[in-house]
C-alpha cells in the first residue's frame, strides 16, 4: 500500500478509439509526436515525469534566485554531500548537460570509454568528444530469463581484453551506470562496483558512476546482496558511491524533480576546476547551472526523500507489480523487472512480424490504439544497427499512477497480444539525417499485409 495520499490531481482521459486512431495517424505512427493530452497512461519515460511531495513544493517557495551564491544551491550541495558523499558539485540543467561538462573534460580524440552499457546520451557525448564508447555488460544481461540478481553488472574480463587491445593509456574513463538503463534497468552490486573501481585504478582511469537511479539500485543491493541485508538504503547508496571519483546525475530520476542535474566530485582539484569552467560556459554560473533557485530547492529535498524509507521500496514494488501483471497475462517480459521499467519482448509477442517490419514499434502503436498507453521502442527502430531483441520499454513515473492504471496497461498489452497476426508491421517513410536520433522524429506507415515490407531508403 502506498504511504502517501494524493492532494493535487491532474485529469487524464481516454480518447475514443476513432480519435486514438486519428491521433496515431497524425503522429506518423511515432508516439513521440502525440500530444500528451491524447495519452491516457504515459509510460514513455520515468525522466522528469514523477510527482513531487508537499515538502518539495514548499521548498520551491523558498527558492533563492540569486545569480551567484544562491542559498538553494547551498541546500543542494549539502544534500549531495549527505546523501551521495560528493564534496563538490557542478550544477547542470539535466543529466546530459552534466555529461557534456564531464566527458568534455575527460575524453579526447581516439580515447576509449568503457561502461557496463552506455545510455544513448552518454554514448553521444563520448563520441562527440572523439571517443569510442565500448559496452562491457555481463553475459546474463542479454538473457531475459536468467535470474542472476545483478544483470546490470560490468564485466571486468571484457574490459580487460579491450584494454589489452588498445592500451591503458587510451582508456581515460571507466563508467558504471546504476541501474543499467540500457540493460533493462538491471542493478549493479556493490561487490562489482568495488571490482570496477579497482580495475579503473589499476589502469589509471577516472572512475565515474552514472548515478541517475542510485536509490533504486541501492534498494536492489539491500534486497539481493547478503552483505547489505541489514543496511539502510541510504547507507548502501553512500557505500556504493564512495568508490567513484566522480558521478553524473540526472535529477529527473532519483532526484525526484522535473528537471536538473550535476557532476559530483570529491574535491576542488583539477577536474573540478575544469568542469566548473565548462559548466559556466555551457550551463550557467556555478551556483545555478541552468536550474532556477526553485528547481535547486526542490532537488535538495527530493534527493533526501529518495533514500528515506519506504519511498524506494514502494516505487520498485510498483514496477514489479506491473511486470507480474503482464507475465500473468502471458506477455513475454524481461525478467526480473528493472527498477524503473518493464521491458516487453516484441519478437516473442508478435512472432509473425519480421525484424524489418519493426515489431517493437508495432507493439507500441498497438498499445496506444488499444488503450491510449504510450511506451517506447528500444529495438531496431531506435537503434538501426542493433542485433538485440526488439524490446518495448514501459517506464513507470515516480509516485504518479495507481494500481488501476497499471492494470489497464496490462489488460491493454494482453489485448495487443490477442490481436496476434492482425497486428501489421511498419516501414519508415521519412527520417532525420542523424540515424542515432531516428526514433524521436521519424515518420512511419503500416505495411500493407498483402505485400512484403520494404527497407527504409
Ligand atoms: N544517464 C542515464 C542512465 C539515463 O537514463 C539518462 C536519461 C541520462 C543519463 C540523461 O539524463 O535525460 O536528464 O539528460 N534517461 C531518460 C530515459 C531520458 O528515458 O531513460 P537527462
Amino acid at each position: 500500500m502506498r504511504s502517501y495520499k494524493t492532494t493535487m490531481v491532474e485529469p487524464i482521459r481516454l480518447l475514443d478509439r476513432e480519435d486514438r486512431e486519428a491521433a496515431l495517424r497524425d503522429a506518423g505512427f511515432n508516439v513521440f509526436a502525440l500530444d500528451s493530452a491524447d495519452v491516457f497512461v504515459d509510460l514513455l519515460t520515468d525522466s522528469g515525469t514523477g510527482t513531487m511531495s508537499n515538502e518539495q513544493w514548499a521548498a520551491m517557495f523558498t527558492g533563492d534566485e540569486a545569480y551567484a551564491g544562491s542559498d538553494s544551491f547551498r541546500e543542494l550541495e549539502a544534500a549531495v554531500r549527505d546523501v551521495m558523499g560528493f564534496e563538490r558539485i557542478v550544477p547542470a540543467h539535466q543529466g546530459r548537460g552534466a555529461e557534456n561538462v564531464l566527458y568534455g573534460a575527460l575524453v579526447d580524440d581516439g580515447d576509449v570509454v568503457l561502461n557496463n552499457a552506455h545510455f544513448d546520451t552518454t554514448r553521444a557525448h563520448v563520441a562527440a568528444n572523439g571517443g569510442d564508447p565500448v559496452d562491457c555488460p555481463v553475459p546474463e544481461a542479454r538473457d531475459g530469463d536468467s535470474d542472476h540478481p545483478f544483470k546490470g553488472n560490468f564485466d571486468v574480463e571484457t574490459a580487460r581484453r579491450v584494454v589489452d587491445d588498445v592500451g591503458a593509456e587510451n582508456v581515460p574513463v571507466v563508467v558504471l551506470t546504476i541501474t543499467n538503463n540500457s540493460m533493462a534497468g538491471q542493478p549493479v552490486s556493490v561487490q562489482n562496483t568495488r571490482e570496477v573501481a579497482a580495475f579503473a585504478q589499476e589502469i589509471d582511469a577516472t572512475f565515474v558512476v552514472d548515478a541517475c537511479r542510485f536509490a533504486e539500485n541501492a534498494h536492489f543491493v539491500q534486497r539481493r546482496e547478503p552483505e547489505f541485508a541489514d543496511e539502510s538504503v541510504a547507507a548502501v547508496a553512500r557505500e556504493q558511491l564512495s568508490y567513484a571519483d566522480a558521478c553524473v546525475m540526472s535529477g529527473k530520476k532519483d532526484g525526484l524533480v522535473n528537471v536538473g542535474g550535476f557532476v559530483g566530485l570529491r574535491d576542488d582539484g583539477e577536474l573540478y576546476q575544469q568542469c566548473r569552467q565548462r559548466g559556466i560556459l555551457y550551463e550557467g554560473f556555478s551556483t545555478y547551472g541552468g536550474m532556477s533557485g526553485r528547481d535547486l530547492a526542490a532537488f535538495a529535498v527530493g534527493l533526501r526523500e529518495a533514500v528515506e524509507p519506504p519511498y524506494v521500496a514502494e516505487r520498485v514494488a510498483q514496477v514489479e507489480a506491473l511486470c507480474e501483471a503482464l507475465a500473468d497475462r502471458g506477455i513475454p517480459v524481461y525478467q526480473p523487472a528493472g527498477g524503473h521499467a518493464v521491458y516487453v519482448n516484441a519478437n516473442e509477442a508478435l512472432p509473425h512480424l519480421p525484424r524489418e517490419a519493426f515489431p517493437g514499434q508495432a507493439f507500441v502503436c498497438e498499445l496506444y490504439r488499444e488503450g491510449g498507453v504510450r511506451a517506447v521502442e528500444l529495438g531496431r527502430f531506435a537503434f538501426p544497427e542493433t542485433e538485440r531483441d526488439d524490446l518495448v520499454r514501459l517506464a513507470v513515473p515516480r509516485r504518479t499512477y495507481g494500481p488501476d492504471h497499471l492494470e489497464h496497461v496490462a489488460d491493454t498489452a494482453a489485448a495487443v497480444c490477442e490481436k496476434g497476426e492482425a497486428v501489421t508491421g511498419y516501414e519508415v517513410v521519412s527520417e532525420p539525417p542523424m540515424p542515432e536520433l531516428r526514433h524521436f522524429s521519424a515518420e512511419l506507415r503500416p505495411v500493407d499485409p498483402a505485400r512484403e515490407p520494404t527497407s527504409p531508403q
Side-chain angles (χ1 to χ4, degrees):
M1 193 171 320
R2 284 171 289 174
S3 60
Y4 52 87
K5 61 182 178 180
T6 308
T7 48
M8 185 189 279
V9 295
E10 179 180 334
I12 51 174
R13 63 179 178 153
L14 178 60
L15 295 183
D16 59 34
R17 183 174 285 271
E18 211 169 277
D19 290 339
R20 296 200 296 272
E21 192 62 61
L24 192 61
R25 211 173 34 244
D26 290 348
F29 300 95
N30 184 338
V31 293
F32 278 96
L34 288 171
D35 286 340
S36 76
D38 295 342
V39 175
F40 186 48
V41 180
D42 200 348
L43 306 186
L44 186 69
T45 179
D46 65 319
S47 181
T49 52
T51 302
M52 293 208 295
S53 67
N54 53 353
E55 299 282 344
Q56 286 180 286
W57 281 107
M60 288 192 89
F61 281 91
T62 67
D64 176 359
E65 304 300 338
Y67 188 95
S70 157
D71 271 355
S72 308
F73 176 73
R74 299 293 166 222
E75 285 161 20
L76 179 61
E77 216 180 19
V80 175
R81 204 172 283 147
D82 292 348
V83 175
M84 303 173 78
F86 292 92
E87 286 299 314
R88 292 283 174 169
I89 59 170
V90 175
H93 74 284
Q94 63 181 88
R96 67 201 68 184
E99 291 179 330
N100 179 37
V101 165
L102 183 67
Y103 297 123
L106 288 174
V107 180
D108 282 325
D109 261 350
D111 286 343
V112 169
V113 173
L114 304 171
N115 198 323
N116 44 348
H118 289 80
F119 177 67
D120 322 5
T121 57
T122 321
R123 183 177 299 283
H125 279 294
V126 169
N129 286 288
D132 181 11
V134 176
D135 290 348
C136 305
V138 290
E140 293 85 356
R142 299 199 199 280
D143 179 357
D145 297 321
S146 151
D147 59 0
H148 188 291
F150 291 105
K151 292 203 263 185
N153 279 357
F154 181 111
D155 192 34
V156 177
E157 286 320 306
T158 304
R160 223 177 266 289
R161 280 197 294 277
V162 176
V163 170
D164 287 346
D165 221 33
V166 302
E169 67 284 6
N170 294 315
V171 185
V173 189
V174 174
V175 188
L176 192 61
T177 306
I178 64 171
T179 57
N180 193 343
N181 189 9
S182 302
M183 292 292 166
Q186 298 297 299
V188 174
S189 68
V190 170
Q191 184 50 35
N192 186 246
T193 310
R194 291 179 183 135
E195 286 161 14
V196 179
F199 168 71
Q201 195 173 23
E202 188 187 310
I203 64 167
D204 203 19
T206 303
F207 178 36
V208 177
V209 170
D210 178 331
C212 292
R213 298 179 180 87
F214 76 98
E216 289 164 13
N217 200 86
H219 168 75
F220 284 115
V221 167
Q222 185 199 46
R223 270 172 49 197
R224 297 184 187 170
E225 199 166 355
E227 180 186 341
F228 297 96
D230 300 326
E231 298 281 358
S232 64
V233 163
V236 173
R238 276 189 67 102
E239 164 89 17
Q240 187 157 34
L241 293 170
S242 73
Y243 298 101
D245 299 316
C247 79
V248 275
M249 179 68 190
S250 165
K252 302 174 70 149
K253 286 82 172 174
D254 283 350
L256 307 185
V257 282
N258 303 117
V259 78
F262 58 81
V263 178
L265 295 149
R266 292 285 162 215
D267 54 37
D268 60 1
E270 199 190 331
L271 185 56
Y272 168 74
Q273 298 303 341
Q274 263 178 295
C275 287
R276 184 167 177 228
Q277 297 313 311
R278 289 182 60 81
I280 294 172
L281 187 59
Y282 293 112
E283 298 292 318
F285 185 66
S286 40
T287 58
Y288 74 89
M291 289 177 274
S292 67
R294 294 184 283 276
D295 297 330
L296 292 161
F299 195 172
V301 176
L303 264 187
R304 294 184 192 276
E305 287 181 2
V307 293
E308 268 307 303
Y311 160 71
V312 79
E314 289 178 6
R315 188 274 186 285
V316 174
Q318 191 183 34
V319 177
E320 287 172 343
L322 174 61
C323 188
E324 210 176 297
L326 290 162
D328 284 350
R329 288 163 177 75
I331 295 149
V333 281
Y334 183 106
Q335 297 271 14
H340 67 298
V342 179
Y343 296 70
V344 175
N345 185 324
N347 305 111
E348 289 176 21
L350 302 173
H352 65 290
L353 292 178
R355 296 205 62 190
E356 310 78 71
F358 304 123
Q361 187 62 13
F363 198 91
V364 167
C365 287
E366 226 52 44
L367 278 175
Y368 180 73
R369 223 182 231 127
E370 286 299 312
V373 174
R374 179 156 66 171
V376 69
E377 196 262 10
L378 296 176
R380 186 68 76 86
F381 175 49
F383 306 108
E385 302 302 324
T386 191
E387 293 303 316
R388 294 176 54 194
D389 291 336
D390 291 296
L391 297 182
V392 171
R393 184 181 78 171
L394 301 165
V396 183
R398 296 167 180 80
R399 305 190 288 206
T400 301
Y401 291 113
D404 47 352
H405 296 118
L406 300 186
E407 284 293 306
H408 171 78
V409 172
D411 289 341
T412 302
V416 172
C417 290
E418 256 160 51
K419 279 179 88 171
E421 298 199 1
V423 175
T424 56
Y426 286 81
E427 60 191 351
V428 173
V429 288
S430 76
E431 55 185 303
M434 284 174 78
E436 57 274 27
L437 301 181
R438 166 162 95 171
H439 67 302
F440 295 115
S441 52
E443 289 185 19
L444 303 102
R445 71 174 162 225
V447 177
D448 178 350
R451 65 182 176 81
E452 289 294 300
T454 53
S455 303
Q457 297 305 305

